[in-house]
Amino acid sequence: MTLATPVQSADTVQLAPSYVLPLTLVAMALPLVWVQIWLSLTLSLFGLFLLFQAVTLRLLLTSMALEIYRGQTLIRRFPYGEWLNWQIFWSPLPILFYFREVNSIHFLPILFDPKALQTCLEQFCPRSPG
């Protein structure tokens, strides 16, 4: 199984989905049923929502932009030229991907292979020192 598979060309990488975060949330919700049923239900629904997103979304990194697709439909394109900074939070279990553009800030749950994401970002959009 390849974690990051080339699509179209050597300058485009489609990341493999990661189900770790959604399944962890659902698993954490199960024991909460006996403590607080509404919290358990909320957490499990959020985990199932993220699982649906991981299954249906595709994340492509090109030499020019990060692109998000649902099926063959481009949902959003984030050109690297507008990025000021990016970070993957919490190394032991990456759960959040942050990037800042000139006019906006984005926080995305890690629904794709975090190591391949970091490798591709370091290749296509290296962080500036300092």
Side-chain angles (χ1 to χ4, degrees):
M1 180 176 135
T2 319
L3 295 179
T5 56
V7 176
Q8 298 170 4
S9 73
D11 289 340
T12 302
V13 177
Q14 178 178 331
L15 298 182
S18 171
Y19 306 109
V20 173
L21 180 60
L23 293 177
T24 300
L25 290 175
V26 171
M28 288 172 48
L30 294 176
L32 286 176
V33 168
W34 290 276
V35 177
Q36 179 55 263
I37 193 159
W38 292 110
L39 179 61
S40 173
L41 181 63
T42 302
L43 192 59
S44 63
L45 286 175
F46 184 59
L48 291 173
F49 169 74
L50 291 179
L51 184 62
F52 174 77
Q53 297 290 32
V55 168
T56 60
L57 294 178
R58 292 185 308 132
L59 196 68
L60 272 68
L61 290 104
T62 69
S63 60
M64 301 300 291
L66 179 143
E67 299 176 349
I68 302 174
Y69 286 84
R70 183 175 312 277
Q72 298 299 319
T73 306
L74 176 64
I75 295 174
R76 190 81 193 263
R77 187 171 198 269
F78 300 100
Y80 303 130
E82 297 178 9
W83 289 30
L84 299 175
N85 192 17
W86 63 267
Q87 176 100 26
I88 297 174
F89 286 108
W90 208 46
S91 297
L93 177 65
I95 58 171
L96 195 61
F97 169 49
Y98 153 86
F99 66 98
R100 181 171 182 205
E101 292 182 292
V102 174
N103 293 320
S104 59
I105 296 173
H106 304 278
F107 291 95
L108 304 172
I110 296 288
L111 301 177
F112 301 93
D113 176 40
K115 289 180 183 176
L117 175 62
Q118 182 163 353
T119 301
C120 290
L121 286 172
E122 287 171 351
Q123 175 187 351
F124 295 130
C125 183
R127 288 184 255 197
S128 55

